[in-house]
């Protein structure tokens, strides 16, 4: 294998850093310095393969690439020695003096790297990447997010420059309409129509806002894009501002995303220094000022009217619409709010033409969609697929199927306001209309995979507990209705449900969804409604049999030692409450009255001798 790499990329998004990417980068830089090969190591964002982090990609002079996943610092040193050619004779001398000459790929070092190397064209990596179509993610993992020249080299800011000098605002809006782009934040409102409304409003000032207030459990689409390709989102927001005639804009990003906040601020400063932002951008008559505001982590502030109030320094609470923000929003002026993914689509559409985007997807859902693939899946991460891809393709092909050979049970799609779709409907396509028919919604892109060990009543309780806690309290139906629903779910999971609880749940789901003011309350019952619809037998087991079929609800299960127990004592050693007596080579017993159902004994048993009943 050639040792003349063009560059070695190390992914340092939040997932890469959390997985130990910083020591890996330090090891790569150390070897590059020894080889006098400055500039070889390049920091990039996550490319979406979060399950492989820390990820190192070696790009060769011929354009080929070698990928290494779950890299350790020691493996990073071997990777560098294998691929970097020292550029001066003195560098060879330093390597020899360091005692490293025998590890420069000359004596079987490649064999030591086989555990880390994988091929994007074969195996699991090919399945993960093969069915994706990368529009929003095209630069992620390829460019340095803090280097504007890297972005420009990938045709960055070309669409903005063309707009400023050769495309009328009305034509930009027409292109968005022709592309069929719909808002990726959940509601799916046509982007071109929203911009057109704002453009037509007579007003002295207009505003654009990027909604980066991603608050769904298990969702990380906005965060990854902001961290990996910040200039892309800035360009999209600047084009939106040009289209509607806004001279000021904001990034509203939750404070829990410090890396995203840092990189967007840095990218704004770079864009201003190059003339892509600020007064008379690129010599045109158009000016735009952007700034970042950090949200305090309230889920309800993802709703655009609540976001506007928060941005104005008030308590984030939704208001009645109309008027819509595009008519009267921030500071009472026309305001366009788009989420991160929507804005990241805009430069691509203008560079490739709206027809190219419209050619992807279905009749009513054009383009691609990001999904944060998480849960009981072998290959989790951020994926981008054409609209119309089936849930089965995402779970089984891209995601590599269910962990530990367990049975695929359902997916929760659309976040806490989404719905649970059972495995028997896995051939449902991911598009706005098909998902709506199942009772779910597209949402902002969370897709949580569940297996046979997940209790659907408990899952509904988990998501409703989140939305109930995040309710702003303005609507009686949302404030009180979700609380009453949660109380019923708590009773069912505790084995104390009342005979009419299921009827009450169905009634409350209808009342809350129809009576709430904003999307949070209107969609909060979705996890309950869909699990009642598709998994009613589990609710009935909890209610009438005081039994949790999945063995998840602690109050309704017991742990029992089977006759196959060999007395290895592992369970007794780890039991935190000593409910299992330490008796080597004898069948163990569990004191049910003492057991806290922590599940630790079940997890450590190596002989499958503990069962949940």
């Amino acid at each position: 294998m050639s040792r003349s790499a063009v560059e070695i990329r190390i992914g340092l998004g939040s997932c890469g850093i959390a997985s130990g990417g910083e020591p890996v980068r330090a090891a790569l830089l150390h070897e590059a310095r020894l080889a006098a090969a400055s500039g070889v190591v390049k920091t990039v964002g996550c490319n979406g393969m979060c399950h492989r982090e820390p990820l190192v990609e070696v790009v060769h002079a011929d354009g080929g690439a070698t990928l290494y996943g779950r890299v350790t610092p020691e493996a990073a040193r071997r990777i560098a020695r294998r691929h970097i050619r020292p550029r001066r004779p003195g560098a060879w001398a330093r390597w020899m003096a360091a005692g490293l000459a025998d590890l420069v790929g000359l004596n079987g070092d490649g064999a030591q790297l086989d555990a880390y190397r994988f091929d994007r064209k074969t195996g699991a990596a090919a399945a993960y990447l093969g069915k994706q179509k990368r529009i929003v993610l095209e630069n992620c993992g390829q460019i340095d997010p803090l280097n504007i020249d890297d972005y420009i080299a990938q045709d960055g800011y070309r669409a903005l420059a063309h707009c400023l000098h050769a495309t009328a605002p009305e034509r930009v809006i027409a292109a968005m309409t022709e592309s069929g782009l719909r808002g990726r934040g959940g509601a799916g409102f046509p982007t071109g129509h929203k911009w057109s409304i704002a453009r037509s409003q007579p007003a002295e000032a207009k505003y654009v806002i990027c909604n980066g207030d991603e608050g769904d459990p298990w969702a990380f689409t906005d965060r990854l894009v902001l961290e990996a390709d910040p200039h892309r989102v800035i360009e999209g927001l600047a084009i939106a501002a040009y289209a509607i005639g806004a001279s000021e804009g904001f990034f509203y990003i939750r404070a829990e995303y410090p890396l995203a906040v840092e990189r967007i601020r840095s990218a704004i400063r770079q864009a201003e220094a190059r003339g892509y932002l600020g007064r008379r951008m690129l010599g045109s008559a158009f000016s735009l000022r952007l700034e970042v505001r950090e949200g305090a982590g309230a889920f309800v502030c993802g709703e655009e009217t609540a976001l506007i109030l928060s941005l104005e320094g008030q308590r984030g609470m939704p208001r009645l619409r109309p008027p819509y923000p595009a008519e009267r929003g921030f500071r009472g002026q026309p305001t366009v709010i788009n989420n991160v993914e929507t804005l990241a689509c805009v430069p691509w559409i203008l560079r490739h033409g709206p027809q190219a985007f419209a050619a992807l997807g279905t009749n009513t859902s054009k383009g691609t969609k990001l999904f944060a693939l998480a849960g009981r899946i072998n290959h989790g991460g951020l994926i981008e697929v054409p609209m119309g891809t089936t849930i089965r393709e995402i779970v089984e092909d891209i995601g590599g199927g269910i962990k530990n050979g367990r049975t695929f049970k359902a997916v929760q799609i659309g976040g806490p306001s989404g719905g649970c779709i059972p495995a028997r409907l896995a051939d449902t396509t991911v598009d706005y209309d098909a998902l709506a028919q199942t009772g779910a919604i597209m949402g902002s892109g969370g897709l949580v995979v569940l297996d046979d060990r997940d209790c659907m009543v408990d899952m509904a309780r988990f998501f409703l507990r989140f939305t109930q806690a995040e309710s702003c309290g303005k609507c009686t139906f949302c404030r009180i209705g979700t609380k009453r629903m949660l109380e019923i779910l708590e009773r069912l999971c505790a084995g104390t449900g009342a005979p009419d609880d299921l009827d009450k749940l169905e009634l409350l789901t209808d009342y809350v969804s129809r009576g709430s003011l904003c999307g949070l309350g209107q969609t909060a019952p979705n996890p309950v409604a869909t699990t009642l619809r598709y998994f009613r037998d589990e609710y009935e087991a909890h209610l009438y049999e005081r039994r949790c079929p999945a063995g998840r609800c602690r109050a309704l299960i017991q742990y029992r030692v089977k006759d196959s127990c060999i007395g290895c004592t592992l369970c007794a050693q780890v039991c935190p409450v000593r409910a299992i007596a330490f008796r080597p080579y004898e069948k163990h017993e569990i004191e049910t009255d003492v057991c806290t159902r922590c599940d630790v004994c079940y997890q450590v048993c190596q002989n499958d001798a503990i069962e949940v009943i």
Side-chain angles (χ1 to χ4, degrees):
M1 188 175 293
S2 170
R3 285 184 281 109
S4 56
V6 173
E7 62 186 19
I8 300 179
R9 299 170 180 167
I10 168 67
L12 286 183
S14 292
C15 52
I17 293 171
S19 300
E22 289 285 8
V24 170
R25 177 175 178 270
L28 292 171
L29 287 172
H30 176 74
E31 297 300 326
R33 282 193 295 269
L34 284 176
S38 61
V40 167
V41 179
K42 177 178 178 179
T43 300
V44 298
C46 176
N47 72 351
M49 301 184 74
C50 304
H51 61 282
R52 291 278 189 174
E53 296 285 5
L55 186 79
V56 172
E57 182 173 17
V58 180
V59 182
H60 306 287
D62 60 3
T66 305
L67 291 167
Y68 298 90
R70 304 188 182 102
V71 176
T72 64
E74 178 55 36
R77 285 189 282 272
R78 292 196 180 105
I79 290 168
R81 297 165 194 156
R82 182 166 179 78
H83 293 285
I84 297 176
R85 182 185 299 278
R87 295 181 177 176
R88 293 194 300 270
W92 281 105
R94 281 195 295 275
W95 276 33
M96 293 178 67
L100 303 176
D102 61 330
L103 294 175
V104 190
L106 301 176
N107 64 344
D109 194 47
Q112 299 180 54
L113 294 176
D114 285 343
Y116 302 95
R117 184 170 50 241
F118 63 99
D119 188 344
R120 68 164 73 234
K121 296 181 180 180
T122 60
Y128 186 84
L129 297 169
K131 291 195 173 183
Q132 296 191 46
K133 171 62 178 178
R134 296 201 157 198
I135 290 177
V136 174
L137 301 182
E138 65 177 345
N139 293 332
C140 296
Q142 308 297 310
I143 67 172
D144 182 345
L146 296 178
N147 187 337
I148 190 172
D149 290 319
D150 258 17
Y151 181 67
I152 293 172
Q154 300 297 321
D155 285 334
Y157 289 114
R158 184 163 68 88
L160 175 60
H162 193 268
C163 289
L164 294 175
H165 294 290
T167 310
E170 293 79 9
R171 182 64 197 116
V172 175
I173 294 173
M176 293 303 109
T177 302
E178 188 178 348
S179 73
L181 176 63
R182 296 171 63 174
R184 299 304 198 241
F189 192 81
T191 302
H193 186 44
K194 179 185 284 189
W195 291 11
S196 178
I197 293 172
R199 175 77 187 174
S200 66
Q201 302 302 308
E204 293 183 1
K206 297 179 182 180
Y207 299 93
V208 290
I209 299 172
C210 173
N211 183 351
D213 191 58
E214 182 176 56
D216 297 8
W218 289 304
F220 46 88
T221 57
D222 290 354
R223 173 179 58 77
L224 189 149
V225 174
L226 290 170
E227 291 175 356
D229 199 3
H231 285 285
R232 174 71 165 264
V233 189
I234 290 171
E235 184 177 12
L237 190 60
I239 292 170
Y242 172 76
I244 73 165
S247 59
E248 189 173 358
F250 300 90
F251 280 88
Y252 188 92
I253 305 173
R254 56 180 40 228
E256 291 92 334
Y257 285 179
L259 190 60
V261 169
E262 173 191 332
R263 289 184 177 176
I264 284 290
R265 281 184 170 144
S266 176
I268 288 174
R269 289 192 296 268
Q270 292 177 8
E272 289 173 341
R274 295 293 185 90
Y276 293 108
L277 292 176
R279 291 185 57 80
R280 301 185 61 82
M281 293 157 50
L282 298 179
S284 71
F286 184 70
S287 300
L288 176 65
R289 186 177 71 86
L290 296 180
E291 64 176 281
V292 177
R293 298 283 181 88
E294 297 180 47
F299 181 64
V300 73
C301 287
E303 196 277 338
E304 56 184 17
T305 61
L307 185 156
I308 287 172
L309 284 177
S310 175
L311 200 59
E312 293 174 339
Q314 304 179 58
R315 180 180 177 185
M317 299 179 72
R319 64 165 174 79
L320 191 64
R321 297 176 296 177
Y324 293 93
E327 300 166 317
R328 190 162 73 244
F330 183 63
R331 296 171 180 165
Q333 303 299 319
T335 304
V336 159
I337 303 178
N338 289 124
N339 88 319
V340 171
E341 183 182 350
T342 309
L343 293 170
C345 289
V346 171
W348 191 95
I349 291 171
L350 295 179
R351 282 190 281 111
H352 293 82
Q355 299 86 357
F357 191 83
L360 300 168
T362 67
N363 287 336
T364 58
S365 302
K366 305 294 186 182
T368 60
K369 182 71 186 76
L370 297 183
F371 285 101
L373 189 57
R376 316 291 192 179
I377 199 77
N378 280 311
H379 304 140
L382 188 64
I383 65 172
E384 184 174 5
V385 295
M387 292 280 198
T389 303
T390 67
I391 292 173
R392 188 181 309 280
E393 288 176 291
I394 292 175
V395 173
E396 296 181 358
D397 297 338
I398 298 175
I402 308 301
K403 282 183 178 179
N404 304 318
R406 302 204 71 95
T407 303
F408 174 32
K409 185 172 185 176
V411 295
Q412 168 73 17
I413 190 168
S417 299
C420 285
I421 300 177
R424 66 177 182 272
L425 297 181
D427 291 318
T428 301
T429 56
V430 287
D431 65 72
Y432 293 100
D433 297 334
L435 290 178
Q437 290 175 10
T438 69
I441 62 173
M442 184 78 72
S444 60
L447 198 156
V448 183
V449 181
L450 310 174
D451 68 18
D452 56 301
R453 286 276 290 167
D454 288 305
C455 169
M456 305 314 293
V457 182
D458 181 57
M459 289 302 300
R461 176 177 63 165
F462 171 83
F463 285 111
L464 191 65
R465 184 181 290 164
F466 176 84
T467 51
Q468 201 280 321
E470 293 293 335
S471 172
C472 73
K474 186 173 185 177
C475 304
T476 302
F477 284 102
C478 182
R479 182 181 70 252
I480 304 299
T482 56
K483 185 174 179 62
R484 295 288 90 88
M485 291 172 67
L486 182 59
E487 290 171 351
I488 293 173
L489 293 175
E490 296 283 9
R491 289 201 299 268
L492 291 172
C493 291
T496 58
D500 61 346
D501 272 349
L502 300 190
D503 293 333
K504 286 182 178 178
L505 265 183
E506 290 180 325
L507 189 65
L508 285 168
T509 59
D510 180 55
Y511 284 173
V512 173
S513 62
R514 289 195 294 116
S516 296
L517 178 63
C518 81
L520 186 151
Q522 292 164 5
T523 58
N526 282 349
V528 179
T530 51
T531 50
L532 270 171
R533 177 178 175 181
Y534 298 118
F535 300 96
R536 193 178 185 91
D537 57 327
E538 291 196 29
Y539 279 87
E540 292 174 346
H542 282 69
L543 177 59
Y544 302 120
E545 303 173 33
R546 303 294 192 260
R547 179 177 64 88
C548 176
R552 180 63 59 181
C553 300
R554 290 187 179 185
L556 304 181
I557 62 173
Q558 292 183 10
Y559 289 81
R560 183 171 64 189
V561 180
K562 296 188 288 187
D563 291 338
S564 58
C565 174
I566 61 174
C568 70
T569 74
L570 276 176
C571 57
Q573 293 178 52
V574 300
C575 179
V577 293
R578 299 184 180 180
I580 307 174
F582 186 85
R583 295 200 301 265
Y585 308 113
E586 297 181 20
K587 178 188 173 184
H588 287 32
E589 299 291 339
I590 300 175
E591 294 185 50
T592 301
D593 294 339
V594 180
C595 176
T596 60
R597 284 86 168 170
C598 68
D599 201 53
V600 175
C601 60
Y602 181 89
Q603 295 176 32
V604 302
C605 181
Q606 299 179 2
N607 197 41
D608 192 29
I610 295 179
E611 62 180 345
V612 182
I613 58 173

